[in-house]
Amino acid sequence: MTQTAPTTPPGPGSGPEAPQTRSVQTHCPYCALQCAMTLTITSRPGAGEEHAVAGAEFPTNRGRLCRKGATAAELLTRGDRLTAPLLRGADGELRETDWDAALDHVAARIAALQAEHGRDAVGVFGSGGLTNEKAYALGKFARTVLGTAQIDYNGRFCMSSASKASTLAFGLDRGMPFPLTDLDDAATILLLGANVADTMPPFVQHLQGAREKGGLIVVDPRRSTTAALTEGEAGFHVAPSPGGDLVLLLAVAQVILEEGFTAEDYLAERVEGLAAFRRAAMRWWPEQAQTVTGVGADMIRQLARRLGHAAARARAGGDPVFILTGRGVEQHRDGTDTARAAISLALLLGLPGTDAGGYGTLTGQGNGQGGREMGQKNDQLPGARSILDPADRAHMAEIWGVDEAAIPGVGRPAAQLLHTMGTGDGVRGLLVHGSNVAISAPDADRVVENLRALDLLVVADFFLSETAAKADVVLPVLQWAEEEGTMTSLEGRVLRRRRAVDPPAGPRSELEIFAELARRLGSPVDVPTEPAEVFAEIGRATRGATADYSGLDYGGLDDGQAAYWPLPAGAEEADGEHTTTGEPIAGTARMFRERFAHPDGRARLTDIRAGRGIAPAGRQLVFTTGRLMEHYQSGAQTRRVQELHAAHPEPTLQLHPAVAAQFGLAEGEPATVTSDQGEMTGLVVLDDGLRTDTVFAPFHFPGAGTANRITRGLTDPQSKMPEFKNTPVSIRPAETLETPAAETTEELPR
Ligand SMILES: Nc1nc2c(c(=O)[nH]1)N[C@H]1C(S)=C(S)[C@@H](COP(=O)(O)OP(=O)(O)OC[C@H]3O[C@@H](n4cnc5c(=O)[nH]c(N)nc54)[C@H](O)[C@@H]3O)O[C@H]1N2
Ligand SMILES: Nc1nc2c(c(=O)[nH]1)N[C@H]1C(S)=C(S)[C@@H](COP(=O)(O)OP(=O)(O)OC[C@H]3O[C@@H](n4cnc5c(=O)[nH]c(N)nc54)[C@H](O)[C@@H]3O)O[C@H]1N2
Ligand code: SF4
Ligand SMILES: [Mo]
């Protein structure tokens, strides 16, 4: 570990009481922007350590951090950190135990369940928050040691529709197939369903160029913080009703086709399927789309012409045009088709794989990109290999030292895994690593009921999350700054996570947990516990695959070179390009320059059929969900940070003042929304930037404020992504905000 540099070395004059300070360069524990930070550790003899973070110079964040990143160090020393394994006793109480007792119990219960009900009786739920090494090891553990097909992860909730759409259209899935800084010079950026000003605040710096040219176009049913960035002359905001995006995009495509804005040469040379997509677009002329989306036909034409003219200038050597999607358009039953329509628009305009611009999806979790290609998807092996492809299976069987026939097939996708567990032929046991499904999965009441019905629930976490609180065994694990590993950011860049502080006594690394369980289960499979060793195995496993990490050097990552996958072994030389902070770029920063990843090198357009949507009946509203700047995901971490909790302590419901008046609701008062699935209560926040048919709730809160008690189990048939952002509800005033006291952070020891 060479990164720990003492900045105030003990020297003459520094007595035994002088504080020691050292700092480590690392990356934020939260989102996919992976902002660079300096973690400074000050130790005072007898007084323990203090930790502070500051933003560091890096292409994605340029020295800035958001409020979550800036307060991340607080979690390293919280009093309610789990430090010993917990085991549920016969009286139903969770009690501290030692590691041997906990692991013996888990192994014995797994063995018994699999002996009685078969290998698939035990499932695994992973996370895009895990390092590449942990995600890889989790997938390997599930497929070899447990021999279960039942593994999926929270990335299914996150970007799976865009991932599927990219794979279908381009032949592979890398969220942004270009460096983020390429956005800086854009003439026009069409941002669909992404609220980066709250979800990745330092990202806004990369929108500045387009704003100065009047070219930021934000599509969101709310005037989100990001939509507000279009005000003045900076661009414009388009506000369809939730779920209207597919029709909107097809109508925009029709105008582009009809008015001759398409990139004819590019389409002829690089794209298949134009005739089929033309059929899709021709079904939706702007006047028709207006009735479904609530966006005026004039606005649709204006949007199409803006894109068409800007793209024509970009193709002639002018500033580029980008189309980007976020969860707002992806978390729908037609999310894959919607992302596909966004990609299709980019292809019509001749953007992907050229200097004229491109399409990207903004991956969300810290390792949302790496997590999806390390083999924790129900249908994938490492390197984004297919679990059904004989050659891919044979390659992994050799790496893992197992018989190819022993590698299981496709398991249930995340929502189905959770909605069937503990019932019928669902899994009887579940191991959870890095997700708080009791809050973040759709139809949360059913998920909680099923968690309770399991014969064995094992949760690895550093805090007693709402999911961990329901476990039979809780395993305390290491946090970001206590462990080594790698993360792959939203732009496909592979980064080092550095061990900066010593963990408290008690928690263990997840790699060790997998190895210990494998040993107890009598598995002959080698389960390495050193991240560098796992990374080397990832190289061998992904060699020749789509997401090829084989040329990446663990020690060299982040030390003066920016590495993007794919980087096949033998191609390590930097290609002469540099990042904005001057690092030479190795691997493939800009993809599809010569060819797309389909065997014939061409991208694919296709026919896409849009439904007419389900207009809310009578006094119903459309319920959509998303994020607040201060809270991260299920809130398990950020609700424990004092400053963040204070900034937004309670669940809220945002709605238009006219809607509040109609339903007798008042600002700051509690209201309850009800869907076919359940109820949620939050405090009313009036916002005239919302459509009058829409109510918005953040999903970060427990108890009665859990937004996912409302969402349904419906999923996209192609990606199996749940529909988090389009549920018909009714609304009424409530008596109180009944958040069960035991589940709020205020009640937790500090
Ligand atoms: N503060 C914070 N930052 C985060 C996270 C967090 O939890 N908190 N999570 C990280 C992760 S994992 C992710 S995936 C990203 C997500 O980042 P985003 O995609 O930016 O997040 P969301 O808030 O879920 O959704 C974005 C916007 O979609 C809008 N929207 C809702 N329904 C629709 C619709 O039908 N159509 C359209 N066009 N828009 C719609 C919402 O109003 C919202 O403003 O953020 C990452 N960063
Ligand atoms: N209604 C609605 N629901 C949504 C969404 C939405 O927009 N609307 N968004 C969806 C999206 S995009 C996402 S990504 C999911 C995210 O939702 P979750 O999967 O619940 O994600 P987190 O809250 O980040 O949960 C991570 C948990 O793992 C722990 N943890 C963090 N790092 C590690 C680690 O390295 N190892 C282990 N063992 N534990 C760790 C944290 O303490 C926390 O308890 O929510 C989805 N749910
Ligand atoms: S934007 Fe994301 S990576 Fe950057 S500081 Fe905030 S949470 Fe961390
Ligand atoms: Mo996500």
Side-chain angles (χ1 to χ4, degrees):
M1 253 283 304
T2 54
Q3 284 296 301
T4 313
T7 49
T8 51
S14 62
E17 299 305 310
Q20 300 271 311
T21 308
R22 64 200 165 82
S23 54
V24 179
Q25 290 306 322
T26 188
H27 295 271
C28 176
Y30 298 117
C31 89
L33 201 58
Q34 284 295 291
C35 298
M37 49 170 62
T38 307
L39 173 57
T40 302
I41 301 114
T42 307
S43 16
R44 288 194 175 72
E49 284 187 343
E50 277 169 28
H51 310 120
V53 293
E57 212 39 54
F58 188 65
T60 65
N61 64 310
R62 300 204 170 111
R64 299 196 192 169
L65 297 175
C66 77
R67 225 168 155 181
K68 296 186 302 302
T71 53
E74 195 176 318
L75 294 180
L76 293 170
T77 49
R78 265 198 63 97
D80 63 344
R81 173 73 186 276
L82 295 170
T83 51
L86 305 176
L87 186 63
R88 196 172 296 281
D91 59 356
E93 295 294 317
L94 277 175
R95 267 190 212 88
E96 291 196 354
T97 185
D98 62 46
W99 275 99
D100 277 334
L103 293 170
D104 286 347
H105 180 85
V106 173
R109 295 295 295 135
I110 288 174
L113 287 172
Q114 290 193 319
E116 190 177 344
H117 305 285
R119 294 270 192 179
D120 278 359
V122 176
V124 172
F125 202 89
S127 168
L130 303 178
T131 59
N132 285 319
E133 294 69 29
K134 293 195 286 187
Y136 173 87
L138 186 67
K140 177 179 179 180
F141 177 80
R143 266 70 179 247
T144 62
V145 178
L146 299 179
T148 181
Q150 304 306 335
I151 172 170
D152 209 33
Y153 77 127
N154 67 2
R156 183 73 52 194
F157 301 162
C158 186
M159 35 32 63
S160 54
S161 288
S163 163
K164 185 77 186 178
S166 286
T167 304
L168 292 169
F170 299 137
L172 67 74
D173 153 41
R174 200 182 85 187
M176 288 181 98
F178 45 81
L180 184 56
T181 47
D182 280 7
L183 301 183
D184 294 357
D185 302 324
T188 299
I189 298 177
L190 173 62
L191 196 56
L192 297 139
N195 182 16
V196 289
D198 284 334
T199 54
M200 303 183 175
F203 189 112
V204 169
Q205 298 171 89
H206 304 285
L207 302 177
Q208 191 52 29
R211 291 176 69 203
E212 281 164 13
K213 295 164 205 158
L216 178 64
I217 308 167
V218 177
V219 180
D220 196 310
R222 295 187 302 150
R223 189 171 60 232
S224 63
T225 316
T226 310
L229 295 175
T230 64
E231 282 164 14
E233 302 286 295
F236 51 94
H237 171 206
V238 181
S241 49
D245 305 274
L246 176 53
V247 168
L248 175 72
L249 286 164
L250 292 174
V252 169
Q254 183 183 96
V255 178
I256 283 172
L257 284 159
E258 288 285 89
E259 299 191 4
F261 288 114
T262 48
E264 296 301 329
D265 293 349
Y266 174 97
L267 288 166
E269 269 167 45
R270 303 200 58 182
V271 183
E272 287 291 313
L274 178 59
F277 181 70
R278 185 185 294 276
R279 281 198 296 279
M282 287 309 155
R283 286 185 206 110
W284 292 100
W285 43 98
E287 279 69 18
Q288 248 179 325
Q290 174 175 325
T291 61
V292 176
T293 65
V295 177
D298 288 348
M299 176 61 107
I300 293 173
R301 288 200 173 85
Q302 188 192 336
L303 171 54
R305 287 170 190 153
R306 166 85 208 191
L307 284 171
H309 285 298
R313 282 193 295 271
R315 292 195 301 272
D319 292 337
V321 175
F322 290 92
I323 299 179
L324 305 174
T325 60
R327 303 307 84 79
V329 294
E330 297 163 10
Q331 292 169 329
H332 291 276
R333 260 168 302 166
D334 57 5
T336 303
D337 281 342
T338 307
R340 190 87 195 262
I343 295 172
S344 303
L345 206 54
L347 290 170
L348 287 186
L349 297 170
L351 310 177
T354 75
D355 289 338
Y359 163 83
T361 177
L362 306 179
T363 292
Q365 296 184 83
N367 195 27
Q369 181 68 56
R372 77 209 209 206
E373 57 220 11
M374 286 300 142
Q376 46 175 348
K377 271 187 161 175
N378 70 330
D379 58 351
Q380 280 192 1
L381 293 170
R385 293 177 187 278
S386 163
I387 205 163
L388 296 172
D389 182 293
D392 283 336
R393 292 172 62 86
H395 181 89
M396 287 316 303
E398 195 183 327
I399 300 286
W400 287 341
V402 299
D403 195 7
E404 193 229 295
I407 297 178
V410 179
R412 289 185 168 137
Q416 211 192 336
L417 180 66
L418 299 175
H419 289 154
T420 56
M421 68 185 172
T423 69
D425 65 349
V427 298
R428 310 295 322 164
L430 188 72
L431 314 185
V432 181
H433 287 263
S435 185
N436 187 8
V437 294
I439 306 284
S440 57
D443 192 359
D445 286 341
R446 183 154 142 215
V447 170
V448 168
E449 203 177 301
N450 289 1
L451 286 171
R452 294 205 169 103
L454 287 170
D455 294 324
L456 176 69
L457 174 61
V458 182
V459 178
D461 209 308
F462 17 84
F463 296 117
L464 193 68
S465 71
E466 288 73 14
T467 306
K470 292 164 186 71
D472 301 293
V473 184
V474 182
L475 302 175
V477 297
L478 302 184
Q479 287 194 61
W480 60 293
E482 300 160 353
E483 64 179 8
E484 284 280 307
T486 67
M487 309 282 279
T488 306
S489 77
L490 82 171
E491 45 171 24
R493 181 171 168 173
V494 187
L495 306 162
R496 277 287 289 280
R497 169 180 277 192
R498 308 279 180 174
R499 178 174 162 134
V501 302
D502 292 331
R508 282 202 186 169
S509 107
E510 284 166 283
L511 297 179
E512 273 174 45
I513 292 173
F514 303 142
E516 285 294 318
L517 287 175
R519 192 170 63 76
R520 283 172 168 81
L521 288 163
S523 168
V525 173
D526 179 37
V527 184
T529 54
E530 282 305 314
E533 222 181 303
V534 180
F535 191 80
E537 187 173 318
I538 290 172
R540 296 193 297 279
T542 62
R543 187 170 191 153
T546 303
D548 191 334
Y549 282 57
S550 63
L552 294 167
D553 166 40
Y554 188 76
L557 288 175
D558 248 10
D559 274 342
Q561 183 171 281
Y564 293 79
W565 75 253
L567 180 46
E572 293 88 349
E573 275 310 294
D575 64 3
E577 290 187 276
H578 289 77
T579 69
T580 48
T581 43
E583 302 143 299
I585 291 177
T588 320
R590 293 184 183 83
M591 304 197 72
F592 315 137
R593 303 298 288 185
E594 255 109 63
R595 56 195 315 280
F596 293 99
H598 286 299
D600 61 2
R602 292 161 74 86
R604 298 281 187 277
L605 287 168
T606 189
D607 194 358
I608 300 172
R609 284 186 180 269
R612 304 200 120 260
I614 307 164
R619 284 166 60 84
Q620 285 197 322
L621 298 168
V622 186
F623 179 80
T624 192
T625 58
R627 290 154 167 85
L628 300 168
M629 202 248 266
E630 295 84 3
H631 285 296
Y632 192 65
Q633 316 275 57
S634 72
Q637 290 161 279
T638 48
R639 282 184 276 117
R640 286 177 161 83
V641 176
Q642 231 151 11
E643 176 187 327
L644 302 177
H645 171 69
H648 205 110
E650 308 283 12
T652 47
L653 291 165
Q654 280 181 27
L655 37 98
H656 193 278
V659 177
Q662 186 191 350
F663 291 93
L665 308 169
E667 172 94 29
E669 295 292 319
T672 297
V673 280
T674 309
S675 72
D676 287 348
Q677 234 55 52
E679 285 196 347
M680 160 201 173
T681 303
L683 299 179
V684 170
V685 173
L686 298 182
D687 182 348
D688 66 4
L690 240 87
R691 291 179 56 95
T692 51
D693 57 5
T694 305
V695 51
F696 173 90
F699 76 101
H700 314 294
F701 298 94
T706 300
N708 277 319
R709 300 177 75 173
I710 295 291
T711 55
R712 302 173 286 186
L714 303 174
T715 56
D716 177 304
Q718 298 181 78
S719 65
K720 310 295 190 280
M721 179 183 240
E723 179 159 73
F724 286 119
K725 286 182 162 60
N726 186 2
T727 313
V729 292
S730 55
I731 189 163
R732 63 172 198 275
E735 294 283 299
T736 56
L737 189 67
E738 321 155 86
T739 303
E743 291 198 331
T744 68
T745 6
E746 286 150 311
E747 307 301 320
L748 294 166
R750 295 204 68 93

